[in-house]
Amino acid sequence: MARKNTDIERWDVEDPDFWEKEGKRIANRNLWISIPSLLIGFAVWMMWGMITTQMQNLGFPFSTDQLFTLTATAGLAGATLRIPAAFMLRLAGGRNTIFLTTALLMIPAAGTGFALMNPGTPFWVFQALALLSGIGGGNFACSMSNISSFYPKHQQGYALGMNAGLGNFGVTTMQILVPLVMTISLFGAIAGGPMALESASGTLIGRIEAGTNTWIQNAGFVWLLFLVPLAFAGWFGMNNLRPISPNPGTPLQAFGKILGLYGVGILSTLAGLIALNWLNMWLALPLTIVLTLVLLRLLPGEEIKPNIQKQFAIFRDKHTWSMTLLYILTFGSFIGFSSALPLSITIIFGSMVDTAADGSVSRIANPDAPSALTWSWIGPFVGALVRPIGGWIADKFGGSLVTQIITVVMVFASVGAGYVMMLSYNATDPNQYFWLFMVLFIVLFTASGIGNGSTFRSIGFIFDAQKKGPVLGWTAAIAGYGSFIAPVVLGNQIRAGTPEFAMYGFAAFYLVCLAINWWFYLRKSAYVKNP
């Protein structure tokens, strides 16, 4: 009896007999190992938003700007690492790639746990760990490319929607689990003692007062409970598809290729962080992307160089660029709002307008402000929950039609959210607007989640087997920068007192995407009728 993790030489899922007799079973096994691996990858990537909030509550000796830098570093790294990750599948094979990229996450998980045990840990150590946690964000590109290869065209929406949608639950899992595990001595004396909160904190189930013991190190260590068995599952339960990855080499050779590709991404991230100190964000980010692509083209090796050049053919296809914009619309909004929502809740509803007797106006703390740690998980949870539904609906009615409908919804919801944010920021009682604020953001998350599924179905429909993997990885990489851009744009506008400008700007971008989707895929003489 053949081993489950053997390399597969023949793979023809468009043949109904092959799919029913053999392909479906293998594809589903790989999918259900891939999903939790991607989920934990998202959790490790996005954990810094919660960790830095608690570091501030515990009085770690870092400024607010430094703590935000950690979140931004993880966001930038996760997006940039997706670019080389998009090319891993063909070079190294799916099984080799998912195993190693999952195992690598043990480094930032364990390292963050040890670093958080001591408030005197130097800031550069946290910066390095935040950068390495970006591997979890980068894993999305290779994971999606891999799963796409296992399923026929008529099930691309389902497969990619399940992988991405349930994988995206990593954001919600992290937002719920991290605050909870910090309240108990989960690992006993092995993980060190607690620290006392200097400021009040919170969890899903309520407020935690200052002075309460907290085991912040658990925010890193807890992921090892999942990463170790998932690495074993990936190695012993997944497959390399030789028609997609014709020459992965030995496992050690494949691992060398993966580490080399991620090394390029890490160098580019470091260059991007330096450029952000000198240049405007809108200049620094394109330079980071271009540098990553240039370094990839310069990689040596008789096999690596021609394979990467061959995959660069996607950039000559106009549909690569149209689908990149549409995926920024959907996933970029999802991951960007996931990062920005806690900040928005904290700043907009954490203070309120006060008018003195002489008529002067100032901002004072809101004593009944809602806690970001209690509420910010709801939107990402709903967005991830509906993502597989979006893929299923798109399989039935067409990816572009579903994308068009949700884009209209996002335009109106974004304008509405901006208006409510303006009212809340300038109110003497902002709490009266909180539920409307949450409902509008839940609508945005729901629409973007459904759109995540529909755009992936479109990519699987538009591109052939050789192109769709790199295109999925590339679009996911660029959209991943939403985790960096949205918090910066929203944060800047909120601090300027004009939060509505950020949301109106997003709505204008959505209108552009609406026109592009119609022109390419829905008009009478569209390039590709989808439906």
Side-chain angles (χ1 to χ4, degrees):
M1 186 174 181
R3 293 180 294 114
K4 287 185 177 179
N5 65 350
T6 189
D7 286 8
I8 296 175
E9 299 291 343
R10 177 178 177 255
W11 192 251
D12 185 11
V13 291
E14 300 301 337
D15 177 353
D17 288 337
F18 177 85
W19 174 249
E20 290 298 328
K21 292 178 181 178
E22 188 176 353
K24 183 191 293 187
R25 172 178 52 82
I26 295 171
N28 286 338
R29 185 181 70 246
N30 280 266
L31 174 64
W32 288 104
I33 296 173
S34 175
I35 287 171
S37 299
L38 183 56
L39 185 150
I40 300 302
F42 264 100
V44 174
W45 177 32
M46 300 297 289
M47 67 182 178
W48 288 96
M50 291 294 180
I51 289 174
T52 52
T53 299
Q54 199 74 322
M55 289 171 74
Q56 191 170 38
N57 292 334
L58 287 166
F60 274 66
F62 306 125
S63 67
T64 301
D65 286 344
Q66 284 179 307
L67 295 177
F68 275 119
T69 296
L70 296 179
T71 304
T73 298
L76 182 66
T80 304
L81 289 173
R82 287 183 174 197
I83 300 175
F87 301 98
M88 289 178 181
L89 179 64
R90 183 173 177 82
L91 290 169
R95 170 201 178 207
N96 298 330
T97 299
I98 303 305
F99 162 75
L100 184 60
T101 55
T102 300
L104 285 173
L105 290 172
M106 298 179 196
I107 299 172
T112 299
F114 285 116
L116 289 170
M117 290 170 65
N118 180 11
T121 300
F123 183 69
W124 68 266
V125 174
F126 288 110
Q127 282 184 300
L129 291 165
L131 190 152
L132 290 175
S133 71
I135 292 171
N139 288 1
F140 184 81
C142 51
S143 176
M144 296 300 288
S145 299
N146 185 46
I147 291 303
S148 175
S149 302
F150 279 93
Y151 283 84
K153 281 191 174 185
H154 73 276
Q155 290 201 25
Q156 289 289 306
Y158 160 78
L160 296 174
M162 290 293 289
N163 193 52
L166 297 181
N168 279 355
F169 269 116
V171 179
T172 302
T173 301
M174 178 278 301
Q175 290 175 330
I176 294 174
L177 189 60
V178 164
L180 289 175
V181 299
M182 290 191 293
T183 64
I184 57 174
S185 179
L186 186 63
F187 300 99
I190 298 174
M195 287 175 266
L197 286 170
E198 293 185 5
S199 303
S201 183
T203 70
L204 173 67
I205 57 178
R207 182 181 175 92
I208 301 175
E209 299 298 337
T212 305
N213 281 341
T214 294
W215 289 263
I216 189 174
Q217 60 268 37
N218 289 351
F221 289 137
V222 69
W223 306 117
L224 296 175
L225 299 177
F226 307 99
L227 289 168
V228 173
L230 283 171
F232 277 99
W235 182 251
F236 291 106
M238 299 189 79
N239 304 96
N240 298 320
L241 297 179
R242 285 305 181 95
I244 305 300
S245 311
N247 187 26
T250 67
L252 286 179
Q253 289 172 330
F255 296 161
K257 298 173 192 176
I258 294 165
L259 292 174
L261 289 168
Y262 263 160
V264 167
I266 288 172
L267 287 175
S268 298
T269 301
L270 291 171
L273 290 170
I274 294 170
L276 284 165
N277 291 323
W278 298 340
L279 300 172
N280 179 281
M281 176 180 70
W282 303 109
L283 294 175
L285 292 185
L287 283 176
T288 304
I289 295 168
V290 170
L291 176 62
T292 307
L293 294 174
V294 169
L295 290 176
L296 286 172
R297 287 293 296 265
L298 295 176
L299 279 176
E302 294 182 2
E303 181 193 353
I304 293 178
K305 196 177 187 71
N307 264 295
I308 287 181
Q309 289 177 346
K310 184 176 181 180
Q311 293 183 74
F312 267 50
I314 63 173
F315 299 125
R316 295 193 293 271
D317 191 326
K318 57 181 174 291
H319 295 293
T320 298
W321 301 105
S322 62
M323 292 311 303
T324 297
L325 281 176
L326 295 177
Y327 197 54
I328 293 171
L329 157 78
T330 57
F331 180 76
S333 297
F334 171 84
I335 200 67
F337 291 143
S338 295
S339 300
L341 192 59
L343 174 68
S344 300
I345 292 173
T346 300
I347 297 180
I348 292 176
F349 296 95
S351 62
M352 55 189 184
V353 171
D354 178 64
T355 304
D358 62 358
S360 60
V361 176
S362 61
R363 298 193 67 81
I364 60 173
N366 178 6
D368 300 314
S371 169
L373 294 180
T374 301
W375 297 105
S376 60
W377 65 273
I378 297 176
F381 172 80
V382 173
L385 186 67
V386 300
R387 190 167 186 170
I389 298 172
W392 178 79
I393 296 172
D395 281 337
K396 296 289 184 183
F397 301 104
S400 296
L401 178 61
V402 175
T403 300
Q404 194 79 347
I405 293 169
I406 65 96
T407 305
V408 173
V409 172
M410 291 178 71
V411 170
F412 285 101
S414 186
V415 171
Y419 183 69
V420 170
M421 290 166 79
M422 177 188 68
L423 294 177
S424 305
Y425 191 81
N426 295 289
T428 55
D429 178 20
N431 292 356
Q432 64 182 307
Y433 299 108
F434 180 69
W435 288 110
L436 183 55
F437 168 89
M438 285 299 301
V439 166
L440 286 166
F441 266 95
I442 289 171
V443 170
L444 280 168
F445 275 107
T446 302
S448 66
I450 292 173
N452 282 334
S454 66
T455 49
F456 273 137
R457 192 271 184 184
S458 295
I459 291 173
F461 182 85
I462 293 166
F463 296 94
D464 62 29
Q466 295 300 321
K467 279 187 176 182
K468 67 183 177 184
V471 171
L472 282 166
W474 166 257
T475 56
I478 302 305
Y481 284 103
S483 64
F484 180 85
I485 293 171
V488 172
V489 172
L490 263 169
N492 288 342
Q493 291 301 321
I494 290 171
R495 281 188 281 272
T498 54
E500 67 275 15
F501 288 176
M503 300 307 296
Y504 296 162
F506 294 144
F509 171 70
Y510 299 156
L511 284 172
V512 172
C513 293
L514 194 72
I516 288 173
N517 188 56
W518 173 81
W519 178 262
F520 274 78
Y521 308 114
L522 290 176
R523 65 190 173 96
K524 187 175 181 180
S525 55
Y527 296 114
V528 177
K529 290 298 290 184
N530 177 35

